[in-house]
Amino acid sequence: MGKSGLGAQRRERLKALREAALHRPVLARHLSDGFNGRWSRRQWAQASLVATLGMLVAAIVPGFSPVQDAPAPTARLSMALPLPSLPLARLHGQAGDSWQLVRVERGQTLASLFKQFGISPSTLHEVMQQPGAREALTRLKPGAELAFDLPVGEGGKGSELRALRFDRDASHRVEMSFAGGEIRQNVIDRPSETRTVVLSGKVGRSLYGSARKLGLTGSNINTLTDDIFKYDIDFNDDVAASDRFSVVVEQTWREGELISTGPVLAATFTTGDKLHTGFRFLRNGKAEYFTGDGRPLKKSFIRMPIPYARLTSGFGARKHPVLGRMRMHKGVDYAASTGTPIMAAGDARVVSAGWHGGYGNAVVLDHGRGYTTLYGHMSRIGKIRPGQRIAQGTVIGYVGTTGMSTGPHLHYEFRINGVHRNPLSVTMPPPEPLSGMALAQFRQQTSVALARIRKVENIIYADADSTPKQPVAAVGMKRNGRSG
């Protein structure tokens, strides 16, 4: 083929491309103006751009891509498998095939649960007539578990109770079976194990949170902060995250579940390099906490019977606000709103509780060893009576303005052998320490407890660099039964 033939083919291709490009309005406008059979560089660039865009659209939009062959259907086989036969208990409707466990919620009663399952009131009456049932089932606590064995019916409920299971107490479970109009009881022993453990940890972000993670109860934590270390540690300002504590308690376990935690038997608290200790001991039948040498941790008296109150009048001579003349003020006054609780300054016997002349409603307490206190101008007196023994901190009345008073406040007097003393400056008597046989028994108990605490702490805090950041619990002793 000659050069003229090649030129003719080239012109035909260019003509075809030009006709295709003319279908696009933008390019048509430019290519139709003054075309003389030969493209300019600009026209060639525009045509290349259009071709490139066309290929991209074909690659992206599925409709422009080649149609793919659908996968061939896979052959499937069906096989009949025999189902396991129903248990005889279900076939014959025997007891045990449909236990329904219920956890009692607040406000629920056994009657409401029977109604929920459609069990007749006559069955409830029969249950309550069984020995020990009324005591265990009339006051169900939230969280208690009961199990009902009912035949399966519509909605999973039935009206014929075949068996009932509940806990009579912490160590016994009762299973009642109903058959032939008779009720039979089977009492199952649930043995528990009591362990005396040492729980040790660091304060971390929160003493309460760390102690709770260890397994201490809210009551245990309050004992640490309010009874044992209240007078020696300021838990708002003196405690750091690195400070550590160890507590000895008794825990009761049953079937791998922690049932209860007893009171704090001993505790240590390390703030910086200072070690504080406290040990529980029964003195005259009353539980108290003592230091390692047998001195009570609780002070004999608290100086302010009203916490956070404002002192409005001190001890000494002053002009009486009602009588208008100079008179000896034999106590101190604390201003507080009407109804504010007033606490006993120390352990005492109630001498009198009632109207007391110018003092209005007043209470007089005898703390022994010649110490007495008086609390006046109460709006009302607490639930106390003369001759009653009360503990330090007991609410004995409420702030008021009875008697010779110009406003709600507490008038507080402190007397030693009948002589009035300034309660803000008097040297409070130290608590009576243990002595004699009681001290010997105390030392025997505390030496064992402290040795166990030190053994556990030596294991946990042996290497300061590897001291765990989270609280750690360790078993100090393990035994069956409770200690005396």
Side-chain angles (χ1 to χ4, degrees), residues 70-254:
T74 304
R76 302 192 180 194
L77 298 177
S78 298
M79 182 183 300
L81 296 175
L83 293 174
S85 59
L86 289 172
L88 292 177
R90 188 173 292 277
L91 284 174
H92 300 290
Q94 296 179 2
D97 65 328
S98 181
W99 281 105
Q100 300 190 46
L101 184 66
V102 176
R103 189 178 295 273
V104 178
E105 298 179 358
R106 187 175 298 278
Q108 281 188 322
T109 62
L110 187 63
S112 64
L113 292 174
F114 269 52
K115 184 177 181 180
Q116 174 183 333
F117 287 106
I119 305 171
S120 65
S122 61
T123 304
L124 173 62
H125 178 72
E126 293 176 0
V127 168
M128 300 304 288
Q129 298 303 312
Q130 301 306 306
R134 183 173 298 276
E135 293 79 1
L137 297 174
T138 50
R139 295 181 179 179
L140 294 174
K141 296 181 179 180
E145 292 184 348
L146 290 87
F148 297 82
D149 182 19
L150 299 164
V152 178
E154 293 185 4
K157 297 181 180 180
S159 59
E160 181 186 353
L161 180 63
R162 296 184 302 210
L164 172 65
R165 192 164 57 210
F166 61 91
D167 291 336
R168 188 177 69 188
D169 51 47
S171 303
H172 298 91
R173 172 166 289 173
V174 176
E175 186 172 315
M176 291 184 182
S177 58
F178 304 79
E182 295 183 357
I183 300 179
R184 295 182 180 180
Q185 283 198 68
N186 181 28
V187 180
I188 305 170
D189 289 332
R190 304 182 69 192
S192 60
E193 181 184 42
T194 299
R195 309 170 187 173
T196 303
V197 299
V198 179
L199 306 176
S200 185
K202 286 193 172 183
V203 172
R205 292 184 177 180
S206 163
L207 172 61
Y208 186 87
S210 300
R212 289 292 287 171
K213 288 181 182 178
L214 282 174
L216 293 174
T217 65
S219 177
N220 295 149
I221 300 170
N222 289 337
T223 297
L224 294 180
T225 58
D226 297 343
D227 294 337
I228 301 180
F229 303 119
K230 174 182 180 179
Y231 302 98
D232 299 315
I233 301 175
D234 185 343
F235 285 93
N236 292 323
D237 300 323
D238 296 345
V239 176
S242 59
D243 292 341
R244 64 178 186 262
F245 59 94
S246 294
V247 183
V248 180
V249 292
E250 283 189 344
Q251 293 182 335
T252 302
W253 293 76
R254 186 183 63 206

Side-chain angles (χ1 to χ4, degrees), residues 137-393:
L137 297 174
T138 50
R139 295 181 179 179
L140 294 174
K141 296 181 179 180
E145 292 184 348
L146 290 87
F148 297 82
D149 182 19
L150 299 164
V152 178
E154 293 185 4
K157 297 181 180 180
S159 59
E160 181 186 353
L161 180 63
R162 296 184 302 210
L164 172 65
R165 192 164 57 210
F166 61 91
D167 291 336
R168 188 177 69 188
D169 51 47
S171 303
H172 298 91
R173 172 166 289 173
V174 176
E175 186 172 315
M176 291 184 182
S177 58
F178 304 79
E182 295 183 357
I183 300 179
R184 295 182 180 180
Q185 283 198 68
N186 181 28
V187 180
I188 305 170
D189 289 332
R190 304 182 69 192
S192 60
E193 181 184 42
T194 299
R195 309 170 187 173
T196 303
V197 299
V198 179
L199 306 176
S200 185
K202 286 193 172 183
V203 172
R205 292 184 177 180
S206 163
L207 172 61
Y208 186 87
S210 300
R212 289 292 287 171
K213 288 181 182 178
L214 282 174
L216 293 174
T217 65
S219 177
N220 295 149
I221 300 170
N222 289 337
T223 297
L224 294 180
T225 58
D226 297 343
D227 294 337
I228 301 180
F229 303 119
K230 174 182 180 179
Y231 302 98
D232 299 315
I233 301 175
D234 185 343
F235 285 93
N236 292 323
D237 300 323
D238 296 345
V239 176
S242 59
D243 292 341
R244 64 178 186 262
F245 59 94
S246 294
V247 183
V248 180
V249 292
E250 283 189 344
Q251 293 182 335
T252 302
W253 293 76
R254 186 183 63 206
E255 299 173 2
E257 180 183 1
L258 178 62
I259 301 301
S260 63
T261 300
V264 175
L265 302 179
T268 64
F269 209 109
T270 304
T271 55
D273 296 329
K274 189 173 184 180
L275 175 67
H276 304 274
T277 61
F279 302 90
R280 188 176 188 266
F281 186 73
L282 293 177
R283 177 163 65 171
N284 300 325
K286 180 183 176 182
E288 298 181 49
Y289 289 94
F290 298 84
T291 62
D293 57 359
R295 295 187 177 277
L297 285 167
K298 184 178 72 172
K299 305 303 181 185
S300 295
F301 292 89
I302 53 178
R303 290 192 181 274
M304 292 181 61
I306 306 177
Y308 314 115
R310 180 170 57 92
L311 180 68
T312 56
S313 183
F315 183 87
R318 66 163 188 175
K319 185 177 181 180
H320 196 279
V322 176
L323 300 177
R325 54 185 173 83
M326 294 299 294
R327 187 177 180 180
M328 181 66 180
H329 190 226
K330 299 179 180 180
V332 293
D333 292 343
Y334 293 105
S337 58
T338 301
T340 302
I342 301 169
M343 300 180 297
D347 296 345
R349 178 181 60 85
V350 179
V351 176
S352 63
W355 191 264
H356 201 291
Y359 292 110
N361 289 324
V363 171
V364 177
L365 302 179
D366 182 1
H367 304 277
R369 295 186 289 174
Y371 293 90
T372 60
T373 53
L374 179 145
Y375 313 77
H377 305 309
M378 295 180 178
S379 60
R380 59 188 177 95
I381 295 174
K383 297 179 180 179
I384 58 174
R385 63 184 185 278
Q388 178 183 354
R389 288 205 163 272
I390 59 174
Q392 183 183 79

